[in-house]
Amino acid sequence: RHKRTLHSMTTSDRVRPVLQAVLITISAFAAMLILTNLPLFSLLELKGLDFLFRLRGPLASPSEIVVVAIDEPSFAEIPKQWPWPRSLHARLIDQLKKAGARVIGFDILFAEASQAEEDRALARAIQEAGNVVLATERSVIADALFRQTIRVDPIEPFMLTALVGVATLPIDPDGTVRRPLPLSPDLPSFSSQIVRLYLGQGRHGIRTDPSKAILINHFGPPRTIKTVSYYQALEADRMLPPRTFTDKIVLIGRALQAPPEPQRTAPDVFPTPFSFDAGGPTAGVEIHATIVANLLAGQMVNEPSPVMRYGLLFLLVLMGSLATLRLKPFWALGAIIGLSALFLVIAYVLFAKGRLWLPIFSGTVQFGLVYG
């Protein structure tokens, strides 16, 4: 009888800690599920992603892309009121084609007709170049009773001889651009059209699965991608080194911190994960150039699926529970800090080397809930 009682107590002693660990895991995980639905918590998770970008640091600029920036020096050198005459853009296309540009993308919306001779000059240049991609804009009006998508295209003479893609950039709730426009065969993005033209219409070279949740792999602060001013590109033979545009993707767009027409136009710049350290936002045209480079190389940052995300969080809770259950508060705190540090190191390595974003804020809070 004494042996049976001892055996029963031993079994109970073994089972009880496991049951306690399971109860702690379920409680902490349930609390995390509630927290993840709060807007503030989601915002902090996005800031965790920004932290990983800044911890990783800038990457090398892609060699196949050049940005032609409509910037402050260009306005100083070209004494014309914005919007500039379209014959000036036609002259730029001719210069870029002569310099050997493989694809020319305009992150400028030509939605309204201007003077007939100006429009004819630009239409002629687009047709003769045969490698131009133009931007269209899309906005969504969501109402309680209906959802309406409005698309604003370039005028018809330009649409007939150029590829067109949606240049609208999705913006997160904190105003930061972290995601590309989802790939869609019936409504292609500006960046995907540039990639298709660069690789050839008959090839399927976009190495990103549109079914996955993906994030832009930002290279660094503003002007990380090779950038020249618009006025320099107009005189490329005289102002730029030879072969600057040879066999390159050239993207043209505004890169102004202030709008050229304060009463009509907003500046085409957006915060990115590097804006906090860089001290300013990045031009939309450079963000498009980044997306193009990501698509060409298949280097987007992958976001874990819901199953993977919640499975990881549950595993972290269970690990924290089992590691700290029998420890005194002081030693348990040390163990939690150690596990959190290890998780951050693993998350950083997977982000920097494997381009996978793990929810570092959620994971760290999970350990705190276990300790509590």
Side-chain angles (χ1 to χ4, degrees):
R1 186 186 308 166
H2 175 71
K3 289 182 179 180
R4 285 199 301 270
T5 304
L6 183 61
H7 177 73
S8 176
M9 290 176 61
T10 303
T11 304
S12 176
D13 289 342
R14 290 175 182 175
V15 172
R16 185 179 295 111
V18 175
L19 291 177
Q20 289 174 340
V22 170
L23 288 174
I24 291 172
T25 299
I26 294 173
S27 301
F29 185 68
M32 177 55 61
L33 291 179
I34 295 172
L35 289 174
T36 53
N37 291 317
L38 299 178
L40 177 61
F41 195 91
S42 299
L43 177 60
L44 292 173
E45 193 67 84
L46 292 174
K47 296 303 180 184
L49 172 62
D50 296 350
F51 172 73
L52 289 174
F53 270 111
R54 295 197 297 273
L55 195 62
R56 185 207 66 190
L59 299 176
S61 173
S63 60
E64 64 269 25
I65 302 176
V66 179
V67 171
V68 173
I70 301 173
D71 51 11
E72 285 80 4
S74 297
F75 273 91
E77 294 291 331
I78 302 173
K80 296 182 182 293
Q81 185 178 2
W82 185 264
W84 287 340
R86 289 175 180 174
S87 57
L88 192 67
H89 299 312
R91 180 181 154 196
L92 177 64
I93 292 175
D94 293 339
Q95 181 64 254
L96 293 174
K97 185 65 176 178
K98 177 184 173 183
R102 190 161 165 182
V103 179
I104 302 169
F106 272 90
D107 185 24
I108 302 171
L109 182 60
F110 299 112
E112 299 177 355
S114 65
Q115 296 180 11
E117 56 190 32
E118 296 288 337
D119 290 345
R120 282 196 296 269
L122 183 54
R124 185 269 313 159
I126 292 173
Q127 183 175 12
E128 291 182 359
N131 63 349
V132 177
V133 179
L134 299 179
T136 183
E137 292 289 342
R138 185 190 68 172
S139 62
V140 178
I141 300 175
D143 190 83
L145 300 177
F146 69 94
R147 178 184 175 89
Q148 183 179 12
T149 300
I150 300 175
R151 177 173 165 175
V152 182
D153 290 325
I155 60 174
E156 186 175 355
F158 305 156
M159 288 273 290
L160 294 175
T161 54
L163 290 178
V164 176
V166 178
T168 306
L169 290 169
I171 300 175
D172 285 335
D174 62 343
T176 303
V177 175
R178 298 184 181 90
R179 307 171 191 276
L181 195 70
L183 297 177
S184 171
D186 56 336
L187 197 62
S189 70
F190 179 65
S191 303
S192 65
Q193 289 285 65
I194 289 173
V195 172
R196 289 191 179 98
L197 187 57
Y198 181 77
L199 296 173
Q201 292 290 334
R203 295 172 60 186
H204 302 282
I206 298 180
R207 288 182 263 166
T208 298
D209 184 354
S211 65
K212 292 183 179 179
I214 54 175
L215 300 151
I216 300 171
N217 191 6
H218 290 280
F219 292 105
R223 296 200 174 228
T224 296
I225 293 179
K226 183 176 181 180
T227 301
V228 300
S229 292
Y230 189 102
Y231 79 94
Q232 293 174 314
L234 281 175
E235 304 290 341
D237 295 340
R238 182 170 59 89
M239 292 189 171
L240 296 173
R243 301 184 63 82
T244 297
F245 300 117
T246 303
D247 207 32
K248 297 291 195 296
I249 296 172
V250 183
L251 275 72
I252 304 105
R254 288 186 293 148
L256 300 161
Q257 296 299 317
E261 291 180 299
Q263 73 279 14
R264 293 184 58 188
T265 312
D268 190 16
V269 292
F270 305 89
T272 70
F274 287 97
S275 293
F276 180 79
D277 294 334
T282 298
V285 64
E286 185 171 1
I287 295 176
H288 284 299
T290 301
I291 298 171
V292 169
N294 287 173
L295 291 174
L296 282 173
Q299 289 183 341
M300 288 284 187
V301 175
N302 292 308
E303 187 176 359
S305 65
V307 173
M308 179 180 176
R309 176 189 176 91
Y310 292 122
L312 172 66
L313 292 176
F314 188 85
L315 179 62
L316 291 176
V317 176
L318 186 59
M319 288 173 56
S321 252
L322 294 173
T324 61
L325 186 62
R326 287 175 173 261
L327 298 178
K328 293 183 178 181
F330 178 79
W331 294 109
L333 179 60
I336 286 295
I337 293 174
L339 286 172
S340 298
L342 178 62
F343 172 63
L344 289 176
V345 170
I346 294 173
Y348 168 73
V349 171
L350 288 175
F351 179 80
K353 304 299 183 182
R355 299 186 304 277
L356 177 65
W357 170 41
L358 297 184
I360 61 172
F361 183 76
S362 299
T364 305
V365 171
Q366 285 272 64
F367 286 126
L369 288 172
V370 168
Y371 180 77

